[in-house]
Amino acid sequence: MADAPERGVYYGLGDERVAEVYDVVGMDPRGSGASTPRMECEVPDMTIVPRPDDADFSRITRDAIATERACQRVDGAARPHMTTANTARDMDVIRAALGERTLNYFGVSYGTYLGAVYGSLFPDRLDRSVLDSSVHPDGIWRDVYTRMAPAYTANVERYTPWIAERDDVYGMGSTPEEVAEAFEETSRRLRENPRDDVPGLPPGATFGAADFDFTVGYLARFQGEWDVSASVLWHLVHDVPFPPSALSASAEEPAYEAFNAGLFIAVQCEAEWPDRLSGYYRDMREVRDEHPFGMGAFLHRPQPCTFASHDPVEPLVDLERDGYPTGLVIAGEFDANTAYDGGPAMAARLGNPLLTVADDGGHAFYSIPGMSCVTDAVDAYLVDGAAPEEATCPGIPRPSDVPRDPAEAAGIGVALVGARLAMTDAYALSAVRR
Protein backbone atom coordinates (compact mmCIF):
# COMPACT_ATOMS: atom_id res chain seq x y z
CA MET A 1 0.00 0.00 0.00
CA ALA A 2 1.23 3.50 -0.75
CA ASP A 3 2.16 5.47 2.33
CA ALA A 4 -0.27 8.25 3.20
CA PRO A 5 0.84 11.55 1.66
CA GLU A 6 0.88 14.88 3.42
CA ARG A 7 -1.47 17.51 2.05
CA GLY A 8 0.34 19.56 -0.53
CA VAL A 9 1.84 19.67 -3.98
CA TYR A 10 5.39 18.53 -4.68
CA TYR A 11 7.70 18.69 -7.62
CA GLY A 12 11.37 18.18 -8.42
CA LEU A 13 14.03 15.62 -7.64
CA GLY A 14 13.96 15.39 -3.88
CA ASP A 15 15.21 11.88 -3.23
CA GLU A 16 18.38 11.86 -1.18
CA ARG A 17 19.67 8.51 -2.45
CA VAL A 18 20.01 9.86 -5.99
CA ALA A 19 21.77 12.99 -4.72
CA GLU A 20 24.26 10.81 -2.81
CA VAL A 21 25.26 8.90 -5.93
CA TYR A 22 24.82 11.34 -8.81
CA ASP A 23 25.74 14.90 -9.63
CA VAL A 24 22.33 16.24 -10.59
CA VAL A 25 22.73 18.63 -13.53
CA GLY A 26 19.93 20.86 -14.80
CA MET A 27 19.86 23.35 -17.65
CA ASP A 28 17.81 26.20 -19.02
CA PRO A 29 16.86 24.74 -22.42
CA ARG A 30 17.58 26.93 -25.39
CA GLY A 31 15.09 29.73 -25.60
CA SER A 32 14.30 29.79 -21.87
CA GLY A 33 15.61 31.15 -18.59
CA ALA A 34 19.11 32.59 -18.83
CA SER A 35 19.86 30.91 -22.16
CA THR A 36 20.33 33.14 -25.18
CA PRO A 37 18.61 33.87 -27.40
CA ARG A 38 15.59 33.72 -25.13
CA MET A 39 12.09 33.51 -26.55
CA GLU A 40 10.36 36.73 -25.50
CA CYS A 41 6.99 36.38 -27.20
CA GLU A 42 4.23 37.05 -24.67
CA VAL A 43 1.03 35.17 -25.38
CA PRO A 44 -2.11 36.90 -24.08
CA ASP A 45 -3.82 35.05 -21.24
CA MET A 46 -6.80 33.08 -22.46
CA THR A 47 -9.45 31.29 -20.48
CA ILE A 48 -9.66 27.59 -21.21
CA VAL A 49 -13.01 27.08 -22.93
CA PRO A 50 -13.81 23.35 -22.91
CA ARG A 51 -17.03 23.79 -24.92
CA PRO A 52 -16.61 26.57 -27.47
CA ASP A 53 -19.71 27.57 -29.43
CA ASP A 54 -19.57 27.63 -33.22
CA ALA A 55 -19.76 31.41 -32.91
CA ASP A 56 -16.38 31.32 -31.12
CA PHE A 57 -14.56 29.49 -33.92
CA SER A 58 -13.64 32.50 -36.03
CA ARG A 59 -12.36 34.40 -32.96
CA ILE A 60 -10.31 31.38 -31.88
CA THR A 61 -8.79 31.19 -35.34
CA ARG A 62 -8.00 34.89 -35.43
CA ASP A 63 -6.34 34.65 -32.02
CA ALA A 64 -4.11 31.79 -33.23
CA ILE A 65 -3.08 33.75 -36.31
CA ALA A 66 -2.38 36.88 -34.25
CA THR A 67 -0.29 34.91 -31.76
CA GLU A 68 1.79 33.31 -34.51
CA ARG A 69 2.44 36.66 -36.16
CA ALA A 70 3.35 38.29 -32.83
CA CYS A 71 5.80 35.52 -31.94
CA GLN A 72 7.37 35.65 -35.38
CA ARG A 73 7.75 39.40 -35.09
CA VAL A 74 9.39 39.22 -31.64
CA ASP A 75 11.47 36.01 -31.89
CA GLY A 76 11.89 35.80 -35.64
CA ALA A 77 14.79 33.86 -37.14
CA ALA A 78 15.63 31.98 -33.93
CA ARG A 79 12.24 30.26 -33.65
CA PRO A 80 12.75 27.46 -36.20
CA HIS A 81 15.82 26.29 -34.27
CA MET A 82 14.01 25.84 -30.94
CA THR A 83 13.56 22.11 -31.50
CA THR A 84 13.78 19.07 -29.29
CA ALA A 85 16.59 17.67 -31.43
CA ASN A 86 18.61 20.86 -30.98
CA THR A 87 18.01 20.86 -27.24
CA ALA A 88 19.28 17.27 -27.18
CA ARG A 89 22.38 18.43 -29.04
CA ASP A 90 22.82 21.17 -26.44
CA MET A 91 22.67 18.50 -23.73
CA ASP A 92 25.50 16.66 -25.41
CA VAL A 93 27.57 19.83 -25.53
CA ILE A 94 27.07 20.18 -21.78
CA ARG A 95 28.07 16.55 -21.26
CA ALA A 96 31.28 17.10 -23.21
CA ALA A 97 32.02 20.36 -21.38
CA LEU A 98 31.73 18.52 -18.07
CA GLY A 99 34.22 15.93 -19.28
CA GLU A 100 31.79 13.04 -18.94
CA ARG A 101 31.90 10.12 -21.38
CA THR A 102 28.19 9.35 -20.83
CA LEU A 103 25.23 10.81 -19.00
CA ASN A 104 22.27 9.31 -17.17
CA TYR A 105 18.89 10.86 -17.78
CA PHE A 106 15.71 11.50 -15.81
CA GLY A 107 12.90 13.32 -17.62
CA VAL A 108 9.26 14.10 -16.88
CA SER A 109 6.43 14.84 -19.33
CA TYR A 110 7.93 16.67 -22.34
CA GLY A 111 11.27 15.64 -20.86
CA THR A 112 10.46 12.03 -21.73
CA TYR A 113 10.40 12.94 -25.41
CA LEU A 114 13.61 14.93 -25.02
CA GLY A 115 15.29 11.92 -23.39
CA ALA A 116 14.10 9.56 -26.11
CA VAL A 117 15.37 11.97 -28.77
CA TYR A 118 18.74 12.28 -27.03
CA GLY A 119 19.15 8.50 -26.85
CA SER A 120 18.21 8.17 -30.52
CA LEU A 121 20.75 10.80 -31.58
CA PHE A 122 23.55 9.86 -29.16
CA PRO A 123 23.08 6.21 -28.20
CA ASP A 124 26.74 5.79 -27.23
CA ARG A 125 26.47 8.72 -24.80
CA LEU A 126 23.43 7.59 -22.80
CA ASP A 127 23.63 5.16 -19.90
CA ARG A 128 20.64 4.80 -17.56
CA SER A 129 17.38 6.59 -18.38
CA VAL A 130 14.02 7.07 -16.66
CA LEU A 131 11.08 8.55 -18.59
CA ASP A 132 8.42 9.53 -16.06
CA SER A 133 4.89 10.29 -17.35
CA SER A 134 5.78 9.59 -20.93
CA VAL A 135 4.34 11.29 -23.97
CA HIS A 136 3.19 9.13 -26.86
CA PRO A 137 6.01 8.68 -29.38
CA ASP A 138 3.64 9.17 -32.32
CA GLY A 139 1.56 12.17 -33.29
CA ILE A 140 3.98 14.83 -32.10
CA TRP A 141 2.53 17.27 -31.17
CA ARG A 142 -1.16 17.60 -32.04
CA ASP A 143 -2.15 14.03 -31.19
CA VAL A 144 -0.34 14.23 -27.86
CA TYR A 145 -2.60 17.14 -26.87
CA THR A 146 -5.85 15.78 -28.24
CA ARG A 147 -5.41 12.60 -26.17
CA MET A 148 -5.95 14.74 -23.09
CA ALA A 149 -9.71 15.28 -23.46
CA PRO A 150 -10.79 11.64 -23.04
CA ALA A 151 -8.27 11.25 -20.21
CA TYR A 152 -9.99 14.07 -18.31
CA THR A 153 -13.35 12.42 -18.91
CA ALA A 154 -12.03 9.13 -17.51
CA ASN A 155 -11.12 10.96 -14.30
CA VAL A 156 -14.54 12.59 -14.00
CA GLU A 157 -16.04 9.11 -14.38
CA ARG A 158 -13.97 7.98 -11.37
CA TYR A 159 -14.86 11.07 -9.33
CA THR A 160 -18.65 11.12 -9.71
CA PRO A 161 -19.23 7.65 -8.13
CA TRP A 162 -17.06 8.63 -5.15
CA ILE A 163 -19.11 11.81 -4.62
CA ALA A 164 -22.38 9.92 -5.12
CA GLU A 165 -21.43 7.43 -2.40
CA ARG A 166 -21.20 10.41 -0.02
CA ASP A 167 -24.45 12.10 -0.98
CA ASP A 168 -25.28 12.61 2.70
CA VAL A 169 -22.30 14.99 2.89
CA TYR A 170 -22.13 16.64 -0.53
CA GLY A 171 -25.76 16.46 -1.63
CA MET A 172 -24.92 16.45 -5.34
CA GLY A 173 -26.73 13.20 -6.16
CA SER A 174 -26.80 9.58 -5.07
CA THR A 175 -25.72 8.16 -8.44
CA PRO A 176 -22.88 9.10 -10.78
CA GLU A 177 -25.46 10.25 -13.33
CA GLU A 178 -27.10 12.58 -10.83
CA VAL A 179 -23.73 14.07 -9.84
CA ALA A 180 -22.86 14.59 -13.51
CA GLU A 181 -26.21 16.32 -14.04
CA ALA A 182 -25.52 18.55 -11.00
CA PHE A 183 -22.27 19.58 -12.69
CA GLU A 184 -24.12 20.28 -15.93
CA GLU A 185 -26.75 22.35 -14.17
CA THR A 186 -24.05 24.35 -12.37
CA SER A 187 -22.29 25.00 -15.65
CA ARG A 188 -25.55 26.23 -17.21
CA ARG A 189 -26.22 28.51 -14.24
CA LEU A 190 -22.70 29.97 -14.31
CA ARG A 191 -23.02 30.60 -18.04
CA GLU A 192 -25.94 32.89 -17.32
CA ASN A 193 -24.77 34.22 -13.95
CA PRO A 194 -20.99 34.05 -13.36
CA ARG A 195 -19.78 34.45 -9.78
CA ASP A 196 -17.43 37.18 -8.64
CA ASP A 197 -16.77 35.79 -5.14
CA VAL A 198 -14.70 32.70 -5.99
CA PRO A 199 -11.31 32.65 -4.18
CA GLY A 200 -8.33 33.58 -6.33
CA LEU A 201 -10.16 35.84 -8.78
CA PRO A 202 -8.43 39.15 -9.55
CA PRO A 203 -10.42 42.35 -9.12
CA GLY A 204 -13.18 42.66 -11.66
CA ALA A 205 -12.95 39.04 -12.87
CA THR A 206 -15.76 36.49 -12.74
CA PHE A 207 -15.95 32.72 -12.54
CA GLY A 208 -18.17 31.36 -15.31
CA ALA A 209 -19.14 28.14 -17.03
CA ALA A 210 -15.81 27.61 -18.80
CA ASP A 211 -13.92 28.05 -15.52
CA PHE A 212 -16.20 25.56 -13.81
CA ASP A 213 -15.98 22.99 -16.61
CA PHE A 214 -12.20 23.10 -16.49
CA THR A 215 -12.11 22.98 -12.68
CA VAL A 216 -14.31 19.87 -12.47
CA GLY A 217 -12.06 17.93 -14.82
CA TYR A 218 -8.90 19.17 -13.18
CA LEU A 219 -9.94 18.35 -9.62
CA ALA A 220 -11.17 14.91 -10.64
CA ARG A 221 -7.58 13.86 -11.41
CA PHE A 222 -6.21 13.96 -7.86
CA GLN A 223 -8.02 11.24 -5.94
CA GLY A 224 -5.96 11.73 -2.80
CA GLU A 225 -7.55 15.16 -2.43
CA TRP A 226 -11.11 14.36 -3.45
CA ASP A 227 -12.45 15.19 0.02
CA VAL A 228 -11.18 18.78 -0.06
CA SER A 229 -11.72 19.34 -3.77
CA ALA A 230 -15.32 18.15 -3.47
CA SER A 231 -15.77 20.77 -0.76
CA VAL A 232 -14.77 23.44 -3.28
CA LEU A 233 -17.27 22.09 -5.83
CA TRP A 234 -19.94 21.88 -3.10
CA HIS A 235 -19.87 25.67 -2.77
CA LEU A 236 -20.21 26.07 -6.53
CA VAL A 237 -22.88 23.41 -7.12
CA HIS A 238 -25.06 24.64 -4.24
CA ASP A 239 -24.31 28.30 -5.03
CA VAL A 240 -23.33 29.18 -1.47
CA PRO A 241 -20.69 31.73 -0.41
CA PHE A 242 -17.18 30.54 0.35
CA PRO A 243 -16.17 30.85 4.02
CA PRO A 244 -13.52 33.37 5.16
CA SER A 245 -10.98 30.53 5.52
CA ALA A 246 -11.29 29.82 1.80
CA LEU A 247 -11.23 33.45 0.75
CA SER A 248 -7.96 33.99 2.61
CA ALA A 249 -6.28 30.80 1.37
CA SER A 250 -3.52 31.21 -1.18
CA ALA A 251 -0.90 29.10 -2.90
CA GLU A 252 2.79 29.88 -2.93
CA GLU A 253 4.02 30.93 -6.35
CA PRO A 254 6.73 28.76 -7.95
CA ALA A 255 10.18 30.28 -7.41
CA TYR A 256 11.26 29.57 -10.98
CA GLU A 257 10.27 30.36 -14.53
CA ALA A 258 7.54 27.78 -14.78
CA PHE A 259 6.58 28.35 -18.38
CA ASN A 260 7.77 30.23 -21.46
CA ALA A 261 4.84 30.53 -23.87
CA GLY A 262 6.96 31.68 -26.81
CA LEU A 263 9.30 28.71 -26.47
CA PHE A 264 6.38 26.33 -26.04
CA ILE A 265 4.86 27.46 -29.33
CA ALA A 266 8.23 27.34 -31.10
CA VAL A 267 8.77 23.72 -30.02
CA GLN A 268 5.24 22.82 -31.13
CA CYS A 269 6.13 24.09 -34.59
CA GLU A 270 8.97 21.57 -34.96
CA ALA A 271 6.23 19.26 -36.23
CA GLU A 272 3.77 19.55 -39.11
CA TRP A 273 0.22 20.62 -38.22
CA PRO A 274 -2.99 20.07 -40.21
CA ASP A 275 -3.90 23.13 -42.25
CA ARG A 276 -7.59 22.45 -42.97
CA LEU A 277 -9.68 24.50 -40.55
CA SER A 278 -12.73 22.32 -41.20
CA GLY A 279 -10.97 19.42 -39.44
CA TYR A 280 -10.29 21.49 -36.32
CA TYR A 281 -13.87 22.75 -36.25
CA ARG A 282 -15.26 19.23 -36.68
CA ASP A 283 -13.11 17.98 -33.80
CA MET A 284 -14.17 20.85 -31.52
CA ARG A 285 -17.84 20.11 -32.14
CA GLU A 286 -17.33 16.43 -31.35
CA VAL A 287 -15.21 16.87 -28.27
CA ARG A 288 -17.21 19.62 -26.59
CA ASP A 289 -20.16 17.19 -26.37
CA GLU A 290 -18.25 14.00 -25.55
CA HIS A 291 -15.64 15.44 -23.17
CA PRO A 292 -17.03 18.63 -21.64
CA PHE A 293 -14.88 18.81 -18.50
CA GLY A 294 -11.19 19.52 -18.11
CA MET A 295 -9.45 20.70 -21.27
CA GLY A 296 -12.40 19.63 -23.40
CA ALA A 297 -12.12 20.94 -26.94
CA PHE A 298 -9.56 23.59 -25.99
CA LEU A 299 -6.59 21.68 -27.38
CA HIS A 300 -8.46 20.65 -30.52
CA ARG A 301 -8.69 24.24 -31.73
CA PRO A 302 -6.44 25.76 -34.41
CA GLN A 303 -3.05 26.51 -32.89
CA PRO A 304 -0.47 29.15 -33.80
CA CYS A 305 1.49 26.38 -35.55
CA THR A 306 -1.50 25.79 -37.80
CA PHE A 307 -0.42 29.06 -39.39
CA ALA A 308 3.34 28.61 -38.90
CA SER A 309 5.55 31.30 -40.39
CA HIS A 310 8.22 28.74 -41.26
CA ASP A 311 8.58 25.08 -42.19
CA PRO A 312 10.28 22.66 -39.77
CA VAL A 313 14.06 22.88 -40.21
CA GLU A 314 14.44 19.08 -40.15
CA PRO A 315 12.28 15.95 -39.85
CA LEU A 316 11.37 14.71 -36.39
CA VAL A 317 13.87 12.22 -34.98
CA ASP A 318 12.97 8.56 -35.43
CA LEU A 319 12.85 7.24 -31.88
CA GLU A 320 14.73 4.03 -31.23
CA ARG A 321 16.95 2.43 -28.63
CA ASP A 322 19.90 1.09 -30.54
CA GLY A 323 23.14 1.11 -28.59
CA TYR A 324 22.25 2.25 -25.08
CA PRO A 325 21.09 0.21 -22.07
CA THR A 326 17.51 -0.69 -21.20
CA GLY A 327 15.75 2.14 -19.39
CA LEU A 328 12.47 2.52 -17.52
CA VAL A 329 9.21 4.15 -18.64
CA ILE A 330 6.59 5.29 -16.09
CA ALA A 331 2.93 6.05 -16.84
CA GLY A 332 -0.09 6.86 -14.68
CA GLU A 333 -3.31 5.07 -15.55
CA PHE A 334 -5.39 8.27 -15.47
CA ASP A 335 -2.73 10.90 -16.13
CA ALA A 336 -4.44 13.58 -18.21
CA ASN A 337 -1.32 15.59 -19.10
CA THR A 338 0.28 12.66 -20.86
CA ALA A 339 -2.47 10.12 -21.41
CA TYR A 340 -1.67 6.57 -20.31
CA ASP A 341 -1.44 4.99 -23.76
CA GLY A 342 1.70 7.03 -24.37
CA GLY A 343 3.53 5.00 -21.71
CA PRO A 344 3.03 1.54 -23.24
CA ALA A 345 3.68 2.97 -26.71
CA MET A 346 6.98 4.60 -25.66
CA ALA A 347 8.03 1.48 -23.75
CA ALA A 348 7.34 -0.68 -26.80
CA ARG A 349 9.12 1.74 -29.14
CA LEU A 350 12.28 1.71 -27.02
CA GLY A 351 12.07 -1.88 -25.82
CA ASN A 352 11.93 -0.71 -22.20
CA PRO A 353 9.88 -2.15 -19.32
CA LEU A 354 6.85 -0.14 -18.22
CA LEU A 355 6.01 0.81 -14.65
CA THR A 356 2.28 1.56 -14.42
CA VAL A 357 0.86 3.66 -11.59
CA ALA A 358 -2.63 2.20 -11.20
CA ASP A 359 -5.73 4.23 -10.33
CA ASP A 360 -3.99 7.61 -10.26
CA GLY A 361 -4.61 10.76 -12.28
CA GLY A 362 -1.42 12.55 -11.24
CA HIS A 363 1.48 13.58 -13.40
CA ALA A 364 5.11 12.86 -12.40
CA PHE A 365 5.46 10.09 -9.86
CA TYR A 366 9.09 9.66 -8.83
CA SER A 367 10.13 11.09 -5.46
CA ILE A 368 6.56 12.13 -4.63
CA PRO A 369 5.16 11.54 -1.10
CA GLY A 370 2.82 8.58 -1.22
CA MET A 371 4.64 7.09 -4.22
CA SER A 372 7.26 5.02 -2.40
CA CYS A 373 6.64 2.04 -4.71
CA VAL A 374 7.68 4.13 -7.72
CA THR A 375 10.60 5.77 -5.92
CA ASP A 376 11.91 2.43 -4.69
CA ALA A 377 11.77 0.94 -8.18
CA VAL A 378 13.57 3.90 -9.73
CA ASP A 379 16.20 3.97 -6.99
CA ALA A 380 16.80 0.24 -7.35
CA TYR A 381 17.63 0.94 -10.98
CA LEU A 382 19.45 4.27 -10.79
CA VAL A 383 21.23 3.80 -7.47
CA ASP A 384 21.60 0.05 -6.97
CA GLY A 385 22.04 -0.89 -10.62
CA ALA A 386 19.20 -3.43 -10.66
CA ALA A 387 17.75 -4.20 -14.07
CA PRO A 388 14.49 -2.27 -14.58
CA GLU A 389 11.42 -4.48 -14.57
CA GLU A 390 7.80 -4.38 -15.70
CA ALA A 391 5.70 -3.54 -12.65
CA THR A 392 2.52 -1.96 -11.31
CA CYS A 393 2.45 0.43 -8.36
CA PRO A 394 -0.63 1.66 -6.48
CA GLY A 395 -1.72 5.25 -6.82
CA ILE A 396 -2.45 7.63 -3.96
CA PRO A 397 -5.29 6.15 -1.84
CA ARG A 398 -8.71 7.74 -2.10
CA PRO A 399 -10.06 9.40 1.07
CA SER A 400 -12.49 7.29 3.06
CA ASP A 401 -13.41 9.70 5.84
CA VAL A 402 -14.58 13.16 4.78
CA PRO A 403 -15.54 16.27 6.78
CA ARG A 404 -19.21 16.27 7.72
CA ASP A 405 -19.35 19.96 6.83
CA PRO A 406 -17.77 20.75 3.43
CA ALA A 407 -17.12 24.31 4.61
CA GLU A 408 -14.55 22.91 7.06
CA ALA A 409 -12.35 21.72 4.18
CA ALA A 410 -12.88 24.63 1.84
CA GLY A 411 -9.81 26.60 2.95
CA ILE A 412 -7.30 23.82 2.36
CA GLY A 413 -9.22 22.83 -0.76
CA VAL A 414 -8.86 26.26 -2.31
CA ALA A 415 -5.15 26.40 -1.43
CA LEU A 416 -4.55 23.01 -3.04
CA VAL A 417 -6.49 23.97 -6.15
CA GLY A 418 -4.39 27.10 -6.47
CA ALA A 419 -1.16 25.16 -5.99
CA ARG A 420 -2.18 22.56 -8.55
CA LEU A 421 -3.06 25.21 -11.08
CA ALA A 422 0.18 27.09 -10.45
CA MET A 423 2.26 24.11 -11.52
CA THR A 424 0.07 22.45 -14.12
CA ASP A 425 1.71 21.90 -17.48
CA ALA A 426 1.82 23.87 -20.67
CA TYR A 427 -1.57 25.19 -21.72
CA ALA A 428 -3.06 25.21 -18.26
CA LEU A 429 -0.26 27.51 -17.16
CA SER A 430 -0.69 29.87 -20.08
CA ALA A 431 -4.43 29.76 -20.34
CA VAL A 432 -6.12 29.74 -16.93
CA ARG A 433 -7.36 33.23 -16.22
CA ARG A 434 -5.94 34.52 -12.94
Side-chain angles (χ1 to χ4, degrees):
M1 176 180 292
D3 43 310
E6 299 176 18
R7 296 288 189 190
V9 180
Y10 303 84
Y11 47 86
L13 283 174
D15 190 82
E16 294 180 357
R17 291 195 68 205
V18 167
E20 290 172 357
V21 174
Y22 291 93
D23 295 320
V24 179
V25 178
M27 61 180 278
D28 287 339
R30 61 167 54 197
S32 71
S35 294
T36 55
R38 184 182 184 279
M39 298 293 98
E40 301 288 352
C41 172
E42 295 185 3
V43 177
D45 287 342
M46 295 176 291
T47 300
I48 293 173
V49 180
R51 322 187 206 195
D53 293 329
D54 281 20
D56 296 324
F57 290 180
S58 61
R59 176 190 54 78
I60 288 169
T61 302
R62 290 194 304 272
D63 287 347
I65 294 171
T67 298
E68 171 59 24
R69 288 176 177 171
C71 288
Q72 182 64 21
R73 183 170 59 250
V74 172
D75 296 326
R79 294 180 71 218
H81 305 286
M82 301 295 143
T83 67
T84 304
N86 279 336
T87 300
R89 294 174 181 119
D90 294 341
M91 286 170 50
D92 203 56
V93 170
I94 293 173
R95 175 203 57 76
L98 294 173
E100 299 291 340
R101 188 182 67 80
T102 61
L103 58 78
N104 302 280
Y105 185 84
F106 174 85
V108 177
S109 194
Y110 166 75
T112 63
Y113 181 63
L114 175 59
V117 168
Y118 181 86
S120 301
L121 292 176
F122 303 102
D124 57 334
R125 300 301 186 190
L126 182 59
D127 190 3
R128 297 173 190 174
S129 59
V130 176
L131 308 182
D132 185 350
S133 304
S134 180
V135 302
H136 201 290
D138 298 320
I140 303 295
W141 281 107
R142 175 167 162 75
D143 290 355
V144 170
Y145 301 140
T146 57
R147 285 184 168 92
M148 293 173 68
Y152 273 100
T153 296
N155 281 287
V156 174
E157 290 173 350
R158 298 191 302 141
Y159 196 25
T160 51
W162 185 91
I163 294 174
E165 290 168 3
R166 293 155 181 81
D167 187 43
D168 60 325
V169 175
Y170 298 114
M172 299 186 205
S174 58
T175 67
E177 293 76 17
E178 289 177 354
V179 175
E181 179 52 35
F183 290 161
E184 290 289 347
E185 175 55 35
T186 303
S187 182
R188 287 192 289 268
R189 185 181 71 244
L190 288 169
R191 181 180 294 270
E192 299 298 325
N193 299 291
R195 289 179 59 160
D196 60 6
D197 65 337
V198 175
L201 288 176
T206 58
F207 187 94
D211 304 289
F212 178 77
D213 292 343
F214 170 74
T215 299
V216 168
Y218 195 77
L219 297 183
R221 300 179 53 187
F222 305 106
Q223 72 278 354
E225 298 157 9
W226 279 352
D227 53 341
V228 292
S229 68
S231 74
V232 174
L233 296 180
W234 179 86
H235 288 80
L236 297 169
V237 169
H238 296 291
D239 199 21
V240 296
F242 283 87
S245 62
L247 295 173
S248 62
S250 62
E252 196 172 316
E253 291 294 320
Y256 59 91
E257 180 192 37
F259 183 68
N260 182 312
L263 176 60
F264 179 68
I265 293 171
V267 173
Q268 281 185 316
C269 294
E270 71 181 351
E272 298 281 357
W273 285 73
D275 57 8
R276 292 180 63 86
L277 291 177
S278 59
Y280 291 97
Y281 297 162
R282 180 196 64 240
D283 290 349
M284 285 193 289
R285 291 186 183 100
E286 248 176 51
V287 173
R288 71 187 178 194
D289 296 329
E290 294 181 4
H291 306 292
F293 298 111
M295 286 294 184
F298 183 71
L299 294 177
H300 291 73
R301 76 197 197 288
Q303 304 286 335
C305 295
T306 305
F307 311 98
S309 306
H310 58 82
D311 294 326
V313 294
E314 63 179 318
L316 295 174
V317 174
D318 289 330
L319 302 184
E320 60 179 352
R321 185 175 63 81
D322 182 13
Y324 66 94
T326 303
L328 180 65
V329 175
I330 303 171
E333 184 179 4
F334 293 100
D335 185 349
N337 287 65
T338 51
Y340 176 74
D341 61 351
M346 182 67 85
R349 178 68 56 84
L350 301 181
N352 287 338
L354 175 69
L355 192 161
T356 294
V357 182
D359 194 33
D360 200 291
H363 183 65
F365 301 100
Y366 174 66
S367 193
I368 301 296
M371 290 290 174
S372 58
C373 174
V374 176
T375 299
D376 290 348
V378 173
D379 284 348
Y381 168 51
L382 289 180
V383 178
D384 301 327
E389 296 181 349
E390 201 93 3
T392 298
C393 285
I396 300 293
R398 307 178 185 196
S400 53
D401 298 325
V402 299
R404 304 309 300 173
D405 179 2
E408 295 177 10
I412 189 170
V414 167
L416 282 169
V417 171
R420 288 290 187 191
L421 291 174
M423 62 175 293
T424 197
D425 277 4
Y427 267 103
L429 271 170
S430 65
V432 174
R433 182 174 60 218
R434 283 292 179 264

